[in-house]
Amino acid sequence: MQKKVNRVLFWFILIQPFLELDWFYKGPLSTILPFTIPTIIRIVGVFIVFLMYFSQKYNWQRIRKQWWVLSYIILLLIYIILHLYHVRPANFHAVDPNGYGYSTFGEIFYLLRMLLPIIILYISRYTNFSEKQFEHLIQALSGLFSLTIVITNLFVVSLTAYGSYGVRWIHANIFSWFTSNNYAYFELASKGFFYLANTISAILFFLMPLMLYFLYKDFKVLNIILVIAQALAMLMLGTKVGAYGLFIDFIVFIIFYLIHLFVLKNIKVNKKFLITILLVIVGSSIIVPHSPMFRRNTYDIGVADNRGKKANIKKNDDVLKKDLKKYKGAKREKVLKHFIKKHYYAYSLKKGFVMKGYSYKYDPDFWLTVMQSPINERLNYRHLEIKMLNKVVNNNNNKYDKFLGISYIRENNIFPLERDFLAQYYSLGIVGALLFLGVYIYELFYLLYYWFKSKENRQFINTIILIALGFILVAAFYSGNVMDYLTATLIMAFVYGYGLQLVDHANKSKKLNKS
């Protein structure tokens, strides 16, 4: 049965890239069903793995002895009850009469989704995957994500990584980066057929150290191709996490490679590996100045300035000031709403923020303040997302929001905050964020503790797993779209489980050697 659990878990993790296809989230079925097909598949998949795992008597016996796991489950159940009671419409006061689309069913569904990777993390710890099985899975994931992005870019059939400009497909491939300046960054940035570029960037940032390890450990053509393809894919995505993350991966990997080589002295020199890595770094360095990410740095400010000049923002501001002084009450509010609706685009404000997220119809003065702020603040969407959420929390004026949150449904409908951990603070509160996300921080420090404690846990693979897990958590905080997205968290949870498995095996071997 244990081998069957391993096999099912292996294939379950392997299908995650297919469940991240854009069609599932923007296709015809996405408008019909109240939930996405990938989420249902994942719930069913985790349920099957769960049943298979706990159909073995010794697994039940193990968890009954783990008082900390049982305590965590009890705390989680108590929190879920309190959270659902706290965020119900009767307890929430909002300027939006629809309460930002809150749904109890949707909130329960979200909480269930957040539990899935935690279950996978726990089960993966006790499934005894070999390093070779782990290598095959990482190779397959890297290939599925990277080769899809690279091939679709080359044939110009990729979705653009930035779909908010009315462009859905890229207009040219990587060769045009060097030959033409006529394309905007969003016409060149590729995400293959996948849904969210930020999520894929974080996953590739996370997988690269593992691929570099396997290239060192198992130097062969397949791993060379996968590392090169993944490097190209990270640049093609056009995100900062993808482009900067690629070089951070190389630099940090080389630093720890040298530490293991000269300080810990538990690995050997691999000249072919070092030459290959050096060539990939040089090639990436040549490409990156021409990449979509670098084009973006100058594009947004330039477009915003042009919009402002064309619309003559200063003249509009002067007219508005006179009108606001002239009118009071309902007439003033009507004038202000009309102005915002007509001119928000000239001020480079995102339509989804103004029209839908925190609508100008219910709080025009909030948007007046935003429009009067400097251009760099208006273009800083994360700053505006936080500002909108703070306003919603202030309007609700409930001291327990800090501990129990305002609900994921409300936070997501206002606009998904692109800064994980802070996003969950708003949606779940401090208590919920600690219970659902604190697990990953705790386990990271658990692995780090044993890395320092014993040399058996300072193998090169242990170090690389620690680095990879640290990177994905950093990416989650920096760019968001990770901790609420199951493609990333399920793969991450599996790697956590494998890392914990290595520690358990090393500790067990150490005890046996002592006895």
Side-chain angles (χ1 to χ4, degrees):
M1 179 57 79
Q2 185 64 54
K3 287 184 179 179
K4 287 183 179 178
V5 174
N6 284 18
R7 197 178 303 120
V8 172
L9 183 58
F10 180 94
W11 285 102
F12 175 69
I13 299 300
L14 187 58
I15 66 169
Q16 296 312 309
F18 298 101
L19 299 180
E20 185 62 16
L21 294 175
D22 185 83
W23 183 85
F24 285 120
Y25 303 90
K26 293 183 180 177
L29 289 177
S30 64
T31 58
I32 299 170
L33 300 174
F35 36 70
T36 62
I37 292 173
T39 304
I40 299 303
I41 293 172
R42 284 162 175 152
I43 290 171
V44 172
V46 172
F47 184 65
I48 290 169
V49 172
F50 180 88
L51 288 180
M52 290 178 70
Y53 178 80
F54 283 108
S55 67
Q56 300 166 86
K57 187 178 179 181
Y58 56 85
N59 288 330
W60 278 114
Q61 291 172 337
R62 180 194 290 120
I63 200 170
R64 284 170 62 185
K65 295 175 184 176
Q66 295 172 324
W67 61 267
W68 57 92
V69 177
L70 299 176
S71 300
Y72 172 76
I73 293 169
I74 291 168
L75 286 172
L76 208 53
L77 289 172
I78 293 170
Y79 165 79
I80 288 170
I81 292 167
L82 291 175
H83 172 76
L84 291 173
Y85 177 80
H86 170 72
V87 300
R88 65 197 180 109
N91 290 340
F92 196 81
H93 305 286
V95 293
D96 185 337
N98 296 318
Y100 307 107
Y102 176 76
S103 158
T104 301
F105 175 78
E107 193 69 12
I108 293 171
F109 201 66
Y110 167 72
L111 296 173
L112 176 61
R113 278 167 43 203
M114 292 294 281
L115 280 173
L116 299 183
I118 296 172
I119 294 169
I120 290 298
L121 187 157
Y122 179 84
I123 293 174
S124 299
R125 182 175 187 171
Y126 302 107
T127 46
N128 296 316
F129 269 80
S130 68
E131 186 171 307
K132 186 54 70 175
Q133 287 175 309
F134 184 62
E135 178 182 0
H136 289 161
L137 184 55
I138 298 302
Q139 286 172 329
L141 292 170
S142 173
L144 286 169
F145 283 119
S146 303
L147 291 172
T148 300
I149 293 169
V150 171
I151 292 169
T152 57
N153 176 280
L154 291 174
F155 288 96
V156 198
V157 291
S158 170
L159 292 165
T160 176
Y162 296 90
S164 58
Y165 292 90
V167 176
R168 182 157 171 79
W169 304 92
I170 61 168
H171 291 177
N173 63 20
I174 188 171
F175 299 112
S176 298
W177 299 3
F178 304 91
T179 60
S180 175
N181 292 318
N182 296 327
Y183 297 106
Y185 72 91
F186 52 83
E187 295 173 321
L188 299 173
S190 309
K191 62 176 181 177
F193 299 130
F194 300 114
Y195 179 46
L196 287 176
N198 279 351
T199 307
I200 304 304
S201 298
I203 292 171
L204 294 181
F205 181 40
F206 160 69
L207 290 177
M208 182 58 94
L210 297 169
M211 276 309 308
L212 292 175
Y213 170 79
F214 289 122
L215 179 62
Y216 159 77
K217 189 81 174 177
D218 189 11
F219 189 83
K220 58 185 181 183
V221 174
L222 174 62
N223 285 337
I224 294 171
I225 292 170
L226 289 175
V227 166
I228 292 172
Q230 188 164 329
L232 285 172
M234 291 174 77
L235 296 176
M236 287 175 173
L237 279 160
T239 64
K240 289 181 180 178
V241 169
Y244 292 143
L246 174 62
F247 292 95
I248 291 170
D249 280 328
F250 285 133
I251 291 166
V252 174
F253 184 92
I254 290 169
I255 289 170
F256 280 92
Y257 174 84
L258 295 174
I259 289 171
H260 276 271
L261 185 64
F262 295 113
V263 180
L264 300 176
K265 297 180 179 179
N266 56 3
I267 62 171
K268 296 178 181 179
V269 174
N270 186 330
K271 291 181 181 178
K272 290 180 181 178
F273 165 76
L274 289 173
I275 292 169
T276 302
I277 288 301
L278 182 61
L279 290 173
V280 175
I281 292 172
V282 170
S284 300
S285 301
I286 293 169
I287 294 171
V288 75
H290 305 277
S291 68
M293 187 275 292
F294 266 72
R295 293 190 183 213
R296 185 184 182 187
N297 289 341
T298 55
Y299 180 87
D300 285 343
I301 293 291
V303 168
D305 286 342
N306 286 335
R307 284 178 191 167
K309 288 172 184 176
K310 285 180 181 178
N312 201 340
I313 281 181
K314 190 177 184 308
K315 183 180 177 182
N316 289 337
D317 285 344
D318 292 340
V319 172
L320 180 64
K321 282 179 185 177
K322 289 179 182 178
D323 287 343
L324 293 181
K325 284 181 180 178
K326 188 190 303 182
Y327 303 110
K328 301 290 182 185
K331 180 65 177 176
R332 176 190 177 278
E333 186 173 310
K334 185 178 178 181
V335 168
L336 181 54
K337 286 179 182 179
H338 176 75
F339 179 86
I340 294 169
K341 184 179 180 181
K342 184 179 179 181
H343 297 291
Y344 77 88
Y345 182 77
Y347 287 79
S348 293
L349 295 176
K350 187 179 276 192
K351 184 177 182 180
F353 289 172
V354 181
M355 297 295 181
K356 185 183 176 187
Y358 189 74
S359 178
Y360 76 98
K361 294 176 184 177
Y362 310 118
D363 193 351
D365 283 294
F366 170 82
W367 287 110
L368 174 62
T369 304
V370 171
M371 291 166 90
Q372 291 172 339
S373 62
I375 181 64
N376 61 317
E377 287 186 23
R378 284 182 268 135
L379 287 174
N380 187 338
Y381 290 157
R382 288 186 184 89
H383 169 76
L384 289 182
E385 288 159 8
I386 293 169
K387 205 163 185 173
M388 288 189 291
L389 288 167
N390 283 337
K391 188 66 175 172
V392 170
V393 171
N394 289 338
N395 291 340
N396 190 38
N397 194 27
N398 188 323
K399 62 182 179 181
Y400 295 111
D401 284 347
K402 185 186 294 184
F403 304 102
L404 298 171
I406 62 171
S407 85
Y408 165 78
I409 299 299
R410 290 191 183 99
E411 183 266 330
N412 194 63
N413 284 342
I414 292 164
F415 208 87
L417 176 57
E418 294 177 307
R419 180 142 289 164
D420 284 337
F421 299 100
L422 187 58
Q424 288 75 26
Y425 162 74
Y426 284 107
S427 59
L428 300 170
I430 294 172
V431 178
L434 285 173
L435 286 170
F436 284 102
L437 303 185
V439 173
Y440 306 112
I441 305 295
Y442 170 79
E443 297 296 5
L444 187 69
F445 278 100
Y446 179 90
L447 293 171
L448 190 62
Y449 168 76
Y450 276 102
W451 191 92
F452 281 106
K453 187 178 181 183
S454 64
K455 66 178 183 180
E456 291 84 2
N457 288 305
R458 283 196 292 272
Q459 300 304 309
F460 198 21
I461 182 65
N462 298 72
T463 303
I464 297 307
I465 285 173
L466 265 170
I467 290 168
L469 292 172
F471 280 173
I472 196 168
L473 294 181
V474 169
F477 179 76
Y478 177 75
S479 66
N481 300 300
V482 174
M483 305 310 292
D484 284 340
Y485 293 83
L486 289 171
T487 304
T489 52
L490 287 170
I491 296 171
M492 177 186 74
F494 175 81
V495 175
Y496 261 109
Y498 182 75
L500 292 167
Q501 180 191 131
L502 293 178
V503 170
D504 291 342
H505 289 174
N507 292 343
K508 191 176 180 181
S509 298
K510 190 178 178 182
K511 286 180 183 177
L512 289 172
N513 291 335
K514 281 185 178 180
S515 60

